[in-house]
Amino acid sequence: MDAEPFYDGYAPKEWERLERHRTEFAVSLRAINEFLPRPPCSVLDAGGGPGRYAIELARQGYRVTLLDISRENLRLARQKASEAQVSLVDTIHANAVDLHGLGSARYDGVLLMGPLYHLLSYEERVQAIREAMRVLKRSGRLFAAFITRFAPFRYEAIGEPGWLVEHPVYAQQLLETGIHDQPTEFAKAYYVHPSEVVPLMESCGLRTLRLVGCEGVVAEHQEKVNELTGAAWEAWVDLNYKLGQDPTLYGASDHLLYVGEKSG
């Protein structure tokens, strides 16, 4: 299934997903807060779904524009923003590979927290990154999320371990190409090999500031950690943010977050 119809039917679950996967959200926010200029400044959340990051950043005082391919995601984002009593500058229905309506050099920060999951070709991924770069101001910061090549194997190991022998050709395709194009409960996707990320982003003119595995050491082992509060929760966020920066653990995370600066 293509991304737009998938998310039109999945918007509430996508909002809830980051409540179940609190470590991914918290570690990603830690990186965003570390490298994004202080508010108030302008942020584009391109492909931001129902607005989990957009609403949190608006709560912090950022001027956030949310753009997404799914109208239902945008509707839910407006609802959730109203419930949180925060304002988004705008909610725009568009594709991250074509931001022509936004002008150039408008934003201090751009988030690509979902689009690169669903662009199957290298050319499309480059186009989305270059569009994000175009709307960034000079020295602006870009935050780009990826799903790692090994994430679907961890998922199947927990839920349906027989999948590996029942679909050997497809499993090999995933390992070799990263392309998910079969009819399953998830939209068509591209799973990146960790070694691809920095070369891809730097080829588009970015200076690398950080690459972090968002789940740190708890990918697919988060259930009890995500129930914590207070000092215990903060200690795990601190640990996973620290260990998520260890290159030997990049492939052990389900999601990678790249942080780069627009040079020139």
Side-chain angles (χ1 to χ4, degrees):
M1 183 184 296
D2 291 333
E4 183 170 3
F6 172 78
Y7 284 108
D8 278 341
Y10 192 77
K13 291 182 179 179
E14 178 61 18
W15 176 268
E16 295 163 2
R17 188 184 71 80
L18 289 177
E19 293 179 356
R20 298 192 308 275
H21 297 275
R22 291 173 65 215
T23 297
E24 176 194 341
F25 187 55
V27 169
S28 297
L29 274 177
R30 183 71 61 89
I32 292 168
N33 288 150
E34 180 176 349
F35 290 101
L36 197 61
R38 295 301 91 197
C41 66
S42 58
V43 177
L44 173 67
D45 188 357
R52 289 300 299 257
Y53 291 100
I55 290 168
E56 176 58 32
L57 292 175
R59 185 182 287 115
Q60 295 178 23
Y62 289 96
R63 301 188 299 271
V64 186
T65 296
L66 175 64
L67 178 147
D68 200 76
I69 200 170
S70 164
R71 286 185 171 86
E72 184 58 24
N73 269 343
L74 294 171
R75 184 205 64 77
L76 183 58
R78 290 189 289 269
Q79 174 190 320
K80 294 294 186 180
S82 177
E83 291 171 0
Q85 298 183 320
V86 301
S87 296
L88 300 174
V89 173
D90 202 356
T91 56
I92 300 171
H93 179 245
N95 193 317
V97 301
D98 183 4
L99 305 179
H100 72 274
L102 299 182
S104 298
R106 281 184 60 181
Y107 299 98
D108 300 284
V110 174
L111 276 59
L112 286 175
M113 302 301 287
L116 300 178
Y117 301 174
H118 299 296
L119 299 174
L120 302 192
S121 74
Y122 175 83
E123 291 75 17
E124 288 178 307
R125 293 190 291 278
V126 167
Q127 178 66 15
I129 297 162
R130 286 180 174 166
E131 278 291 89
M133 291 281 285
R134 183 180 60 77
V135 302
L136 263 180
K137 295 178 182 178
R138 184 175 182 179
S139 300
R141 302 293 172 79
L142 177 63
F143 304 83
F146 299 83
I147 302 178
T148 65
R149 183 72 50 90
F150 314 111
F153 292 87
R154 280 188 288 271
Y155 178 83
E156 297 295 351
I158 291 173
E160 193 178 345
W163 168 87
L164 191 62
V165 294
E166 293 165 4
H167 304 280
V169 174
Y170 181 53
Q172 189 64 29
Q173 173 183 311
L174 281 179
L175 280 176
E176 292 179 356
T177 71
I179 293 175
H180 161 66
D181 58 2
Q182 300 296 305
T184 68
E185 62 184 31
F186 192 47
K188 292 178 181 178
Y190 178 72
Y191 301 117
V192 72
H193 193 282
S195 63
E196 297 174 45
V197 175
V198 170
L200 168 66
M201 305 305 286
E202 291 185 349
S203 74
C204 294
L206 285 149
R207 180 173 71 89
T208 298
L209 302 176
R210 179 66 49 83
L211 183 63
V212 58
C214 299
E215 290 82 8
V217 294
V218 299
E220 302 300 345
H221 299 279
Q222 304 173 51
E223 185 174 354
K224 293 296 184 180
V225 171
N226 286 338
E227 293 173 359
L228 295 172
T229 58
W233 165 249
E234 293 299 331
W236 277 102
V237 174
D238 290 344
L239 179 67
N240 285 312
Y241 187 49
K242 177 181 179 180
L243 295 183
Q245 297 172 49
D246 184 337
T248 64
L249 291 177
Y250 288 160
S253 283
D254 290 343
H255 298 82
L256 291 174
L257 180 63
Y258 174 90
V259 184
E261 182 177 76
K262 181 178 180 178
S263 57

